[in-house]
C-alpha cells in the first residue's frame, strides 16, 4: 500500500496545477493550452494515489480552438469548491478571455463557459471570503502602461461567480516581491488563521521562476511581502539543478491538518551541461509548515525532493513505491470511448477520430497537415519519462499520393518527429521525418511494398534519453532499425519554445480532400512504456 508522496505527482506536461478539497476528497487541475479535451482533472482520496476522472472542457460547444497554435488556448486554471459547487476559472487567450465553468460533481458535466466581461489579463482565481463575498484576482499590465516587458500587476475585484459579473472597485494590489519584478502571475488568495495571504509566482516561466507570498488584513488593503521571499525556487541552484523552473503554486490543508503546496517544475536531461526539458512543466508536491505567520516550504532541504512521508519528511524512494498516477501501458481500443488521458490538437471530431467504426480498433481519417494550424487528425498522450518506447500496430488504407500515417513525437507544429507510412505513386514508403524550425528533413526511408493500397506494419519509437531510434517489422519480435540516434533535444522547451511538453501518439494526414474521408488508418493497439524511475536530486 502506497504511503508516501512520490514526485512528480503528475509526470509529463501537466503545468499550472491548482488544487482543492471537497468532502475529504482532493481534486487537481492543470493547463492544457490548445489540446482537446482540455483542463485534465484528477482525484485522490488519500493524497498519494491520483486518478484522472475526466477533462473539464470535453465538449466542442464549450470552447473553440480553431486556428490556435499549440501554446495558446487555455492558461492557468484555478479550481475551488464552495457551498456544494465546483468552480473552475481559466483564461482562453486570443478568444473568449477569462471565464468560469461550474459543476455539481468534479467528474462533470461542467457548464458551458460563463464569460467575465471587463476581466483584463490572464491567470484568474476565485476566493470565497467568510462574509459571503467572492473575489476575483488576476494579473494584467500595469494601468499606466508597462515600463518594461513583464511589468504587470495583480488585481482584485468582487465577482458573482454564477454570472461572471464583476462589481465594485477594480484595484491593483501587488506588483511582485522583488524590485522591477517581471510577470507576477498565478495569484491565489486565501484566509488562514484570520489573515489574508496572496500566493503567486514571478520571474517568468524559465530559470528565474519562483513562488512568493504576501499577507494583508483585507483583500483590497495594503499587502506586505514575506521577508523570506521567495518561499520556493530552484533558481539559486543554477542551470545544472536536477529540477528547474519551479513556480506557479497552490496551497491546500489536508484532512489530517497537514499543509502541502502543489507547483510546477521541469526535469532536464541530456549529456553534461547540454540538458533540456522535453516533458515540459510537471506537477510536484512539497510539504509546508507555518512559522511566525508565514509558510516554510520543504523545510528540511528547501528543495523539491523525489519522495516525502505524509508528515512532510524527506525520504528516499524505494522499489516498493509506486507512481502517484497509474497510466495504462497498453490501450487496445476495445472501448468505444477513449480514455481521458488521450488528447488531440484543437478539436476531436468523432467523424475523423473514433473507436466505433471498427470493433477493437482506433480509426483515424486523414486530416490536414500536422505542421500547420488546421484540422489535424492526431491522438496523443504525454511523454512521462526520460526513456520510453511507443509502439503500435497500424494498417493504412491508401488512396492518394502523400496520404500518410504513423507515430508522431510532437512538441509543436514546427518541432516534431514522424515515423510514417506514405503513398508515393505506386509504392508505399516508410520514412523518418524530422521537423525543426519548420524545416522538414527525411532522415531515412525504405520502400515497404508496391502495388498495394492496404499495408499493415508494426512501428516503434524507442527513446534512450535524448536519442530516438525508429523501428519497424511484421511483429514486435522482429523489428528492424530504420534510423537510430536522432536528436530528441529539438522536442524540448529550450529549443522549440512555448509552454507545452512533448506528446507521443498516432496521426493520419490526407494527400487529398479531407472531407471526402477517402484515406484512413486503423490502429489495433498502442503501447507506451517508460523505462525506470530516474530522479536527479543533486546538481551535476
Amino acid at each position: 500500500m502506497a504511503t508516501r508522496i512520490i514526485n512528480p505527482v503528475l509526470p509529463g506536461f501537466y503545468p499550472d496545477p491548482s488544487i482543492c478539497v471537497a468532502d475529504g476528497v482532493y481534486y487537481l487541475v492543470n493547463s492544457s493550452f490548445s489540446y482537446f479535451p482540455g483542463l485534465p482533472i484528477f482525484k485522490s482520496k488519500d493524497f498519494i494515489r491520483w486518478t484522472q476522472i475526466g477533462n473539464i472542457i470535453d465538449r466542442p460547444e464549450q470552447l473553440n480552438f480553431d486556428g490556435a497554435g499549440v501554446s495558446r488556448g487555455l492558461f492557468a486554471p484555478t479550481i475551488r469548491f464552495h457551498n456544494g459547487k465546483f468552480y473552475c476559472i481559466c483564461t482562453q487567450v486570443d478568444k473568449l478571455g477569462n471565464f468560469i465553468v461550474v459543476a455539481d460533481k468534479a467528474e462533470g458535466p461542467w457548464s458551458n463557459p460563463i464569460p467575465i466581461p471587463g476581466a483584463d489579463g490572464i491567470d484568474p482565481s476565485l476566493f470565497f471570503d467568510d462574509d459571503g463575498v467572492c473575489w476575483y484576482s488576476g494579473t494584467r499590465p500595469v494601468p499606466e502602461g508597462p515600463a518594461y516587458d513583464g511589468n504587470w500587476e495583480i488585481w482584485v475585484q468582487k465577482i458573482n461567480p454564477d454570472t461572471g459579473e464583476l462589481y465594485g472597485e477594480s484595484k491593483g494590489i501587488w506588483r511582485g516581491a522583488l524590485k522591477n519584478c517581471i510577470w507576477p502571475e498565478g495569484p491565489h488568495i486565501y484566509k488562514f488563521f484570520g489573515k489574508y495571504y496572496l500566493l503567486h509566482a514571478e520571474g517568468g516561466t524559465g530559470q528565474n521562476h519562483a513562488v512568493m507570498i504576501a499577507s494583508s488584513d483585507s483583500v483590497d488593503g495594503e499587502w506586505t511581502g514575506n521577508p523570506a521571499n521567495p518561499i520556493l525556487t530552484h533558481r539559486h541552484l543554477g542551470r545544472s539543478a536536477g529540477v528547474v523552473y519551479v513556480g506557479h503554486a497552490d496551497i491546500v490543508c489536508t484532512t489530517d491538518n497537514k499543509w502541502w503546496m502543489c507547483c510546477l517544475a521541469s526535469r532536464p536531461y541530456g549529456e553534461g551541461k547540454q540538458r533540456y526539458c522535453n516533458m515540459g512543466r510537471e506537477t510536484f508536491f512539497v510539504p509546508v509548515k507555518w512559522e511566525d505567520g508565514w509558510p516554510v516550504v520543504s523545510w528540511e532541504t528547501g528543495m523539491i525532493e523525489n519522495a516525502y512521508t505524509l508528515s512532510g519528511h524527506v525520504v528516499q524512494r524505494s522499489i516498493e513505491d509506486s507512481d502517484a498516477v497509474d497510466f495504462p501501458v497498453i490501450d487496445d481500443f476495445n472501448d468505444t470511448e477513449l480514455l481521458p488521458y488521450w488528447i488531440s490538437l484543437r478539436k476531436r471530431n468523432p467523424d475523423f477520430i473514433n473507436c466505433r467504426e471498427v470493433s477493437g480498433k482506433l480509426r483515424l481519417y486523414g486530416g490536414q497537415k500536422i505542421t500547420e494550424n488546421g484540422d489535424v487528425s492526431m491522438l496523443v498522450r504525454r511523454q512521462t519519462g526520460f526513456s520510453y518506447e511507443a509502439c503500435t500496430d497500424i494498417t493504412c488504407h491508401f488512396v492518394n499520393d502523400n496520404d500518410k500515417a504513423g507515430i508522431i513525437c510532437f512538441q509543436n507544429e514546427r518541432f516534431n518527429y514522424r515515423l510514417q507510412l506514405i503513398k508515393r505513386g505506386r509504392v508505399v514508403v516508410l520514412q523518418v521525418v524530422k521537423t525543426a524550425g519548420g524545416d522538414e528533413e527525411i532522415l531515412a526511408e525504405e520502400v515497404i511494398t508496391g502495388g498495394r493500397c492496404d499495408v499493415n506494419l508494426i512501428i516503434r519509437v524507442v527513446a534512450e534519453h535524448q536519442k530516438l531510434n525508429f523501428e519497424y517489422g511484421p511483429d514486435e519480435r522482429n523489428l528492424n532499425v530504420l534510423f537510430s540516434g536522432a536528436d530528441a533535444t529539438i522536442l524540448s522547451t529550450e529549443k522549440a519554445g512555448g509552454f507545452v511538453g512533448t506528446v507521443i501518439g498516432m496521426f493520419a494526414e490526407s494527400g487529398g480532400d479531407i472531407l471526402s474521408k477517402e484515406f484512413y488508418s486503423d490502429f489495433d493497439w498502442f503501447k507506451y512504456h517508460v523505462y525506470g524511475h530516474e530522479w536527479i536530486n543533486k546538481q551535476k
Side-chain angles (χ1 to χ4, degrees):
M1 181 178 178
T3 59
R4 298 191 276 200
I5 304 291
I6 301 299
N7 276 320
V9 171
L10 301 184
F13 153 53
Y14 291 101
D16 306 331
S18 179
I19 192 168
C20 75
V21 59
D23 300 326
V25 180
Y26 307 96
Y27 298 92
L28 186 65
V29 67
N30 300 91
S31 293
S32 52
F33 298 91
S34 291
Y35 284 104
F36 182 89
L39 305 184
I41 183 167
F42 292 81
K43 173 182 178 179
S44 176
K45 293 183 178 180
D46 60 8
F47 208 68
I48 295 173
R49 300 284 297 163
W50 292 81
T51 301
Q52 187 173 358
I53 58 174
N55 296 274
I56 291 175
I57 303 300
D58 63 358
R59 305 186 307 278
E61 66 267 22
Q62 286 177 294
L63 289 172
N64 185 322
F65 299 95
D66 286 353
V70 174
S71 286
R72 306 310 291 171
L74 298 177
F75 283 23
T78 297
I79 187 168
R80 294 293 182 256
F81 180 74
H82 180 71
N83 282 350
K85 283 187 177 182
F86 288 91
Y87 295 84
C88 182
I89 186 170
C90 190
T91 310
Q92 185 191 23
V93 297
D94 306 325
K95 291 197 175 184
L96 180 62
N98 293 302
F99 65 89
I100 301 171
V101 285
V102 186
D104 294 324
K105 298 187 298 182
E107 292 84 353
W110 290 77
S111 71
N112 287 338
I114 303 166
I116 310 174
D120 298 331
I122 59 173
D123 292 15
S125 185
L126 295 175
F127 167 63
F128 295 90
D129 207 348
D130 299 336
D131 59 4
V133 172
C134 183
W135 289 88
Y136 175 101
S137 63
T139 184
R140 65 188 180 190
V142 295
E144 69 272 19
Y148 52 87
D149 194 30
N151 184 198
W152 283 38
E153 69 176 8
I154 294 169
W155 65 283
V156 296
Q157 193 170 359
K158 295 175 183 178
I159 186 172
N160 182 330
D162 296 312
T163 66
E165 178 190 0
L166 294 168
Y167 63 97
E169 180 187 7
S170 168
K171 182 178 181 182
I173 60 169
W174 190 250
R175 297 192 175 185
L178 298 186
K179 185 177 180 180
N180 296 325
C181 157
I182 64 168
W183 306 120
E185 60 187 15
H188 297 304
I189 293 175
Y190 319 89
K191 191 174 186 180
F192 300 141
F193 322 115
K195 201 170 188 66
Y196 295 93
Y197 289 90
L198 169 64
L199 187 77
H200 73 99
E202 64 183 62
T205 58
Q207 184 65 32
N208 292 321
H209 211 194
V211 180
M212 310 289 186
I213 197 165
S215 68
S216 176
D217 292 326
S218 63
V219 172
D220 55 353
E222 295 298 319
W223 288 83
T224 302
N226 184 351
N229 276 327
I231 58 173
L232 180 66
T233 188
H234 280 199
R235 63 189 183 190
H236 59 294
L237 301 177
R239 297 185 183 276
S240 59
V243 176
V244 296
Y245 310 158
V246 178
H248 203 109
D250 203 356
I251 288 179
V252 68
C253 182
T254 63
T255 55
D256 59 351
N257 205 35
K258 298 293 191 299
W259 293 83
W260 287 85
M261 176 184 289
C262 63
C263 65
L264 66 76
S266 296
R267 292 177 293 164
Y269 63 105
E271 301 298 328
K273 295 182 179 180
Q274 301 300 312
R275 299 167 65 235
Y276 301 90
C277 300
N278 292 45
M279 290 174 284
R281 298 170 299 163
E282 309 172 278
T283 292
F284 296 77
F285 283 4
V286 282
V288 174
K289 68 177 181 179
W290 292 84
E291 291 183 357
D292 303 321
W294 295 108
V296 180
V297 183
S298 193
W299 60 87
E300 291 183 330
T301 66
M303 297 167 55
I304 297 176
E305 300 290 350
N306 187 193
Y308 297 95
T309 66
L310 280 174
S311 58
H313 295 291
V314 178
V315 290
Q316 291 296 315
R317 177 174 181 162
S318 70
I319 195 170
E320 290 82 17
D321 287 319
S322 57
D323 292 335
V325 180
D326 185 20
F327 292 110
V329 172
I330 298 178
D331 193 338
D332 55 16
F333 305 117
N334 283 336
D335 293 329
T336 57
E337 298 297 327
L338 287 163
L339 294 170
Y341 63 81
W342 287 113
I343 51 177
S344 300
L345 191 53
R346 289 181 281 277
K347 66 174 65 172
R348 182 183 297 162
N349 186 340
D351 292 335
F352 281 76
I353 301 173
N354 70 76
C355 299
R356 300 171 183 171
E357 290 189 44
V358 183
S359 178
K361 294 181 186 292
L362 168 73
R363 173 160 291 186
L364 298 185
Y365 286 92
Q368 293 180 331
K369 289 185 177 181
I370 292 292
T371 53
E372 297 178 358
N373 291 354
D375 293 336
V376 301
S377 187
M378 182 167 74
L379 189 72
V380 290
R381 57 185 296 174
R382 293 159 173 87
Q383 179 185 342
T384 58
F386 296 157
S387 298
Y388 64 85
E389 69 167 288
C391 187
T392 191
D393 180 331
I394 181 176
T395 301
C396 294
H397 304 271
F398 291 108
V399 176
N400 304 292
D401 277 358
N402 292 317
D403 286 344
K404 63 191 73 166
I407 289 180
I408 188 166
C409 302
F410 186 86
Q411 216 281 349
N412 61 38
E413 297 89 353
R414 294 168 52 82
F415 290 86
N416 53 78
Y417 280 100
R418 304 193 302 275
L419 176 58
Q420 66 184 26
L421 288 160
I422 179 172
K423 185 177 186 297
R424 184 185 291 165
R426 298 178 61 86
V427 300
V428 173
V429 179
L430 182 68
Q431 299 176 329
V432 176
V433 180
K434 173 185 178 181
T435 303
D439 297 325
E440 288 195 3
E441 176 185 2
I442 298 174
L443 300 182
E445 62 180 2
E446 184 169 324
V447 174
I448 297 300
T449 187
R452 291 169 50 197
C453 292
D454 295 350
V455 178
N456 174 255
L457 203 62
I458 303 295
I459 53 177
R460 180 168 73 172
V461 177
V462 178
E464 299 173 351
H465 281 231
Q466 292 288 18
K467 300 297 180 184
L468 295 177
N469 303 322
F470 300 89
E471 303 170 354
Y472 70 101
D475 58 67
E476 284 190 87
R477 297 180 181 179
N478 297 282
L479 294 179
N480 304 305
V481 176
L482 182 60
F483 190 86
S484 63
D487 176 21
T489 66
I490 69 159
L491 304 177
S492 67
T493 305
E494 291 80 3
K495 289 192 175 182
F499 303 124
V500 301
T502 298
V503 293
I504 304 145
M506 300 148 287
F507 82 99
E509 187 178 303
S510 176
D513 177 16
I514 68 168
L515 297 180
S516 69
K517 297 176 61 178
E518 294 177 310
F519 168 59
Y520 61 90
S521 292
D522 291 328
F523 299 84
D524 192 25
W525 47 263
F526 187 89
K527 178 168 70 174
Y528 173 78
H529 175 67
V530 172
Y531 299 116
H533 298 284
E534 300 169 83
W535 179 264
I536 305 171
N537 281 337
K538 299 179 180 179
Q539 291 178 281
K540 290 190 175 182

